[in-house]
Amino acid sequence: MTSDFLVVGAGVAGLRAAIELAKAGRVLVVAKDSLRESSSEYAQGGIAAAVGEGDAVALHEQDTLAAGDGLCDTEAVQTLVREGPVAIQELIEWGAEFDREGARLALGREGAHSRRRILHAHGDSTGREIARALHRKAASLANVELRSFAAVTDLLLAEDGSVAGVAVCDGSTHSHAQLRARGVLLATGGMGRVYAHSTNPEVATGDGVAAAWRAGAALSDLEFVQFHPTVLAVEGAGGFLLSEALRGEGAWLRGADGERFMTRYHEMAELAPRDVVSRAIVTEMERTGAEHVWLDLRRLEADFVRRRFPRIYETCLKHGVDLTKDPAPVRPAAHYAMGGVHTDLHGRTSLPRLYAAGEVAAAGVHGANRLASNSLLEGLVFGARAGRAMRELAGAPAAPPAPPAEPLFPELSEEELRALSWRHCGIVRSGEGLAEVCRRLEATPLRPNAKPNRAMFELRSLHTLAWLIARCALARRESRGAHFRTDCPESRPEFQKHSLIQKGHEVTFF
Ligand code: SIN
């Protein structure tokens, strides 16, 4: 099947790019699972933009740079905060309904933001509302076709090394197909499922990054994985997120002994950057031997909690926690990949005809630690930019792909892999543990399979990603942002650089 442009992923970045691309040709948008199953759907807290009274793009820039711990690309951040308010206005014109106080947009607060600047929708279903509006807009365009259940397994390369399409596997029928196009945009989202504990949906297995790696694309900053501090720690809750917006409205963290502890760790207490809060929680759990800490909302008015956080309130209630009366057991979980396929500010990667936007991409916006609620904004702003840039391929002939290499699958269990990543590539790391992950994964036997299914391809992606994270984290002999090593606990000026890894090469820094 051939289209002009292929967008892999139907979350915010992919849909926003497709809307731009539709102006220049036929666009096929493929979703790995059902069309609505993406990380965007689960984003609760909101989308940050300097639209409030007393706020300014310069302040949003300052907060983003501070959270990024010396590693943000300033031009990328300026692009994000400058184009953000325009992107949101456009979204409102396309039908997105953000919560309001009277006629004004209601603005929440989250960690490391110096101002109230978080727009939200239906209280705590912001990603779902943005994806709904983009989906409706994209589906209304004659040039856009949306297809579900097509998981990318490999990039198809032409003889000249340019990207000619993708191979996909249908997760329901296990059938395989090749989709060809003049250009491919990866918008496949994150890789949180590399870890035993994650806020990400099951589809977040890093397939886009792994496929780009196998095709020879440059990847950057993979060692930086953000751990969200507060996931509901109840059996069967499946990594359900308790949004940072709860702390933004005044919820406190308490240890096993009931004591409020964040005031001992950071001047911003519960609103410190996420890496600081996650590490503090781990320290408290280790200190007391408890499996979780507590998130306490009882100082907030019950009606306010139910109205402002309806989805969170109802979900907690289903799991036996009434947030208006009981503190919720919480612990950190893998949440967001700051690194990914290295791109310029227009989504161009190191491979001709391959573009990337959203969580799969690394344009340098987030540095070593993403500021809360900047991810939906990144998807919107850089999705649109990548879509516009990719129109440069409008007149180019599609190149025929060379036959792809036979896939090889690792022989280890998903549980084993996730436990290994959690133990050694998690919130607190060490050189020894990271080297152990590399050794273990390099020694894993790889075998072909006559009837590969989606789960096997996902395990292959997770295996590749775990190794890449460990490899990059081992090379970064310092601690910075979300990457903390007990054997080198300080930041070092010689590492105030992005990491870069490419198949067949050692990790370098630039
Ligand atoms: C949250 O609601 O806490 C998540 C928002 C984000 O990751 O930016």
Side-chain angles (χ1 to χ4, degrees):
M1 178 172 188
T2 304
S3 52
D4 293 318
F5 307 110
L6 180 61
V7 175
V8 188
V12 166
L15 291 170
R16 185 60 193 82
I19 292 167
E20 290 301 322
L21 283 166
K23 295 171 189 162
R26 284 175 308 119
V27 191
L28 176 62
V29 181
V30 294
K32 178 173 178 177
D33 208 272
S34 69
L35 284 172
R36 302 304 295 267
E37 188 63 4
S38 70
S39 293
S40 303
E41 276 292 308
Y42 295 83
Q44 296 175 352
I47 181 163
V51 294
E53 228 170 80
D55 202 357
V57 291
L59 293 172
H60 190 185
E61 175 187 340
Q62 219 172 66
D63 294 345
T64 303
L65 293 173
D69 205 3
L71 215 61
C72 293
D73 180 302
T74 307
E75 209 188 327
V77 173
Q78 286 169 346
T79 304
L80 179 81
V81 300
R82 189 181 60 238
E83 296 184 10
V86 182
I88 283 172
Q89 187 49 42
E90 195 171 52
L91 204 55
I92 292 172
E93 281 156 24
W94 292 341
E97 288 180 19
F98 291 105
D99 297 333
R100 291 181 181 265
E101 276 156 8
R104 282 192 191 172
L105 288 165
L107 297 175
R109 174 118 194 251
E110 288 182 3
H113 284 275
S114 60
R115 295 287 185 281
R116 281 192 168 263
R117 65 164 72 96
I118 317 298
L119 286 81
H120 44 87
H122 311 292
D124 51 10
S125 293
T126 316
R128 184 177 288 177
E129 175 60 12
I130 294 177
R132 183 197 66 77
L134 287 173
H135 194 273
R136 202 176 68 152
K137 173 74 182 168
S140 74
L141 302 171
N143 260 348
V144 176
E145 186 188 340
L146 298 154
R147 178 171 159 184
S148 54
F149 294 102
V152 62
T153 57
D154 277 296
L155 298 181
L156 302 174
L157 295 177
E159 292 296 347
D160 64 1
S162 64
V163 172
V166 301
V168 293
C169 169
D170 182 323
S172 50
T173 61
H174 307 305
S175 58
H176 299 262
Q178 291 196 351
L179 307 174
R180 300 184 197 175
R182 297 178 207 284
V184 173
L185 174 82
L186 289 177
T188 46
M191 55 176 87
R193 304 297 286 202
V194 167
Y195 291 94
H197 303 285
S198 171
T199 64
N200 292 188
E202 281 177 17
V203 290
T205 51
D207 308 322
V209 178
W213 158 258
R214 281 190 297 276
L219 313 177
S220 74
D221 291 346
L222 285 175
E223 64 275 33
F224 295 110
V225 178
Q226 182 171 78
F227 294 83
H228 196 289
T230 55
V231 166
L232 186 60
V234 168
E235 193 66 31
F240 183 73
L241 184 72
L242 297 192
S243 174
E244 188 150 328
L246 296 164
R247 279 174 282 129
E249 295 298 347
W252 282 348
L253 284 164
R254 297 185 186 279
D257 48 9
E259 182 217 354
R260 183 182 176 207
F261 59 84
M262 271 316 298
T263 45
R264 284 194 275 112
Y265 287 88
H266 197 278
E267 60 194 9
M268 292 179 85
E270 279 81 1
L271 293 182
R274 276 186 191 164
D275 58 313
V276 175
V277 182
S278 289
R279 276 197 298 279
I281 292 176
V282 168
T283 307
E284 287 300 308
M285 283 162 57
E286 274 167 8
R287 188 178 67 80
T288 60
E291 303 247 305
H292 57 75
V293 295
W294 300 100
L295 185 68
D296 187 355
L297 276 77
R298 289 174 299 180
R299 52 197 287 270
L300 308 184
E301 233 181 77
D303 275 352
F304 171 76
V305 171
R306 284 190 283 262
R307 197 180 60 247
R308 174 72 176 81
F309 302 108
R311 188 173 169 187
I312 295 174
Y313 173 76
E314 289 299 333
T315 307
C316 286
L317 209 52
K318 264 191 226 141
H319 289 283
V321 180
D322 181 343
L323 287 176
T324 64
K325 297 195 182 108
D326 318 310
V330 292
R331 66 172 172 227
H335 183 57
Y336 188 87
M338 270 72 76
V341 183
H342 180 53
T343 68
D344 68 8
L345 298 187
H346 303 278
R348 295 186 189 97
T349 72
S350 63
L351 295 183
R353 298 177 188 242
L354 181 69
Y355 299 71
E359 189 173 351
V360 69
V365 185
H366 306 304
N369 184 33
R370 175 175 65 82
L371 183 68
S373 286
N374 266 355
S375 54
L376 290 171
L377 191 70
E378 183 204 10
L380 272 187
V381 168
F382 286 92
R385 289 174 78 85
R388 284 194 290 273
M390 201 165 151
R391 296 197 303 231
E392 67 204 3
L393 298 177
E406 185 180 22
L408 297 173
F409 301 96
E411 289 199 336
L412 85 170
S413 75
E414 236 172 68
E415 289 69 31
E416 192 186 342
L417 181 104
R418 290 182 169 139
L420 192 68
S421 307
W422 182 255
R423 190 159 64 247
H424 295 303
C425 305
I427 300 168
V428 177
R429 305 163 172 184
S430 72
E432 204 183 319
L434 294 166
E436 166 65 20
V437 175
C438 292
R439 268 196 304 277
R440 173 78 188 85
L441 297 181
E442 283 159 16
T444 306
L446 302 172
R447 305 234 191 278
N449 190 294
K451 287 193 177 166
N453 59 30
R454 182 175 119 178
M456 292 177 202
F457 283 109
E458 287 179 331
L459 182 59
R460 181 179 65 152
S461 298
L462 296 175
H463 179 261
T464 303
L465 259 307
W467 180 80
L468 285 165
I469 293 168
R471 195 69 207 80
C472 295
L474 194 57
R476 183 173 288 282
R477 290 186 311 282
E478 65 155 1
S479 291
R480 182 183 297 277
H483 168 72
F484 181 81
R485 277 179 61 162
T486 49
D487 53 338
C488 14
E490 309 295 335
S491 297
R492 291 168 57 186
E494 65 271 32
F495 282 109
Q496 195 175 352
K497 292 177 178 171
H498 299 285
S499 65
L500 193 86
I501 187 164
Q502 203 162 5
K503 201 172 168 189
H505 300 272
E506 286 300 310
V507 180
T508 55
F509 290 88
F510 68 100

